[in-house]
Amino acid sequence: MTKNTRTPGHSPKLTKLHKLSVAGVATLGAATLAFSLAPSHTQTTTSDAAISAAPVAFSQQPIKNVQASVTDQQAGASLKTQAIEAKKKSADAAAKKAADNVRKVQAASRSVQRPAIETVAMKTVAMKTYATKTYAAKTAATKTYANNLDGWIRQSLDIMKRRGIPGSYNGLHRNIMRESSGNPMAINGWDINAINGIPSKGLLQVIQPTFNAYHVPGTSWNIYDPVANITAAANYAADKYGSMDNVNSAY
């Protein structure tokens, strides 16, 4: 038998080569263990990307919500503005319609009131005219005239004016002087009228039938009355010749 050269309690001495081999095996094992425990390269990259992207996604969400909120607010404001504009247009239309109705009512009122106003105005004018004529008549009635040819002519002219009978002072005076020389009791007893039994009488030498036909109301029916005679003769001359002013001879 061979002899055991190992001494109990001591391990054989490792050579330098053995030490290197052991270190290499240890290193390789550690590396293998680390590789088996660590995730693959692709998974690590994905996880890193997810981790790095997560905060970005988290930070973008509130921004989107804020933008949506602003957009909603703008849309709401736009709707409110449109509603206000619509109310304003409706109010303007209602105001315009009300104004038109007021104008129509005023126009209708004027159209109703105008005839009444015109009627009142016409009545007022008529009353004033009547009052004027009445006053003139009363004035003429109370007016005094001289009891002579001048006074008779002037009184006749006032009556003629109220009755619308034309004639002038000069026209009357001229014909009176030719016919009777101003004598109210003058009578013609020699002309054709006298021969026929109806002699001419008075200031303007009027026959009785003519006096009766052209007698002017308000004057005497006595053919010798100076004012009645002049006025009746002037009325006859106006009918036959247009006015006593147009008479220059026997008429």
Side-chain angles (χ1 to χ4, degrees), residues 20 32 66 68-69 90 99 168 173 179 186-188 203-204 208 218 225 227 234 241 250:
L20 292 174
T32 302
V66 170
S69 177
S90 178
S168 66
H173 187 271
E179 294 292 333
I187 182 171
N188 187 324
L203 289 174
L204 283 169
Q208 192 67 50
D225 179 87
V227 175
Y241 305 101

Side-chain angles (χ1 to χ4, degrees), residues 20-215:
L20 292 174
S21 298
V22 173
V25 171
T27 302
L28 179 60
T32 302
L33 179 61
F35 182 78
S36 64
L37 293 174
S40 64
H41 178 70
T42 303
Q43 293 175 344
T44 302
T45 303
T46 303
S47 298
D48 293 341
I51 291 171
S52 63
V56 175
F58 178 78
S59 63
Q60 288 177 348
Q61 185 63 31
I63 293 175
K64 291 181 179 179
N65 291 338
V66 170
Q67 290 177 345
S69 177
V70 171
T71 302
D72 292 341
Q73 291 177 8
Q74 290 176 344
S78 177
L79 291 174
K80 288 182 180 179
T81 301
Q82 292 177 0
I84 292 172
E85 290 294 332
K87 288 182 179 179
K88 184 177 181 300
K89 288 181 180 179
S90 178
D92 291 343
K96 183 178 182 300
K97 186 176 181 180
D100 291 340
N101 290 336
V102 170
R103 284 193 290 270
K104 288 180 181 179
V105 170
Q106 289 176 344
S109 178
R110 285 194 295 270
S111 65
V112 172
Q113 292 177 356
R114 185 174 298 149
I117 293 173
E118 291 177 352
T119 300
V120 172
M122 291 176 64
K123 287 182 178 179
T124 302
V125 172
M127 290 176 65
K128 287 182 178 180
T129 302
Y130 175 78
T132 301
K133 289 183 177 180
T134 302
Y135 175 77
K138 288 181 178 180
T139 302
T142 57
K143 185 177 180 178
T144 58
Y145 302 93
N147 189 24
N148 53 32
L149 182 59
D150 179 74
W152 301 331
I153 293 175
R154 294 186 185 282
Q155 186 175 356
S156 294
L157 285 172
D158 287 340
I159 297 171
M160 290 165 57
K161 184 177 180 180
R162 292 196 301 271
R163 297 290 180 177
I165 301 172
S168 66
Y169 184 97
N170 289 334
L172 293 175
H173 187 271
R174 173 168 47 81
N175 280 282
I176 288 172
M177 295 306 293
R178 187 189 67 251
E179 294 292 333
S180 65
S181 299
N183 180 8
M185 304 300 296
I187 182 171
N188 187 324
W190 55 267
D191 64 3
I192 189 63
N193 290 324
I195 295 172
N196 293 330
I198 46 173
S200 300
K201 301 176 182 177
L203 289 174
L204 283 169
Q205 293 292 286
V206 183
I207 61 175
Q208 192 67 50
T210 299
F211 178 83
N212 293 340
Y214 289 93
H215 173 265

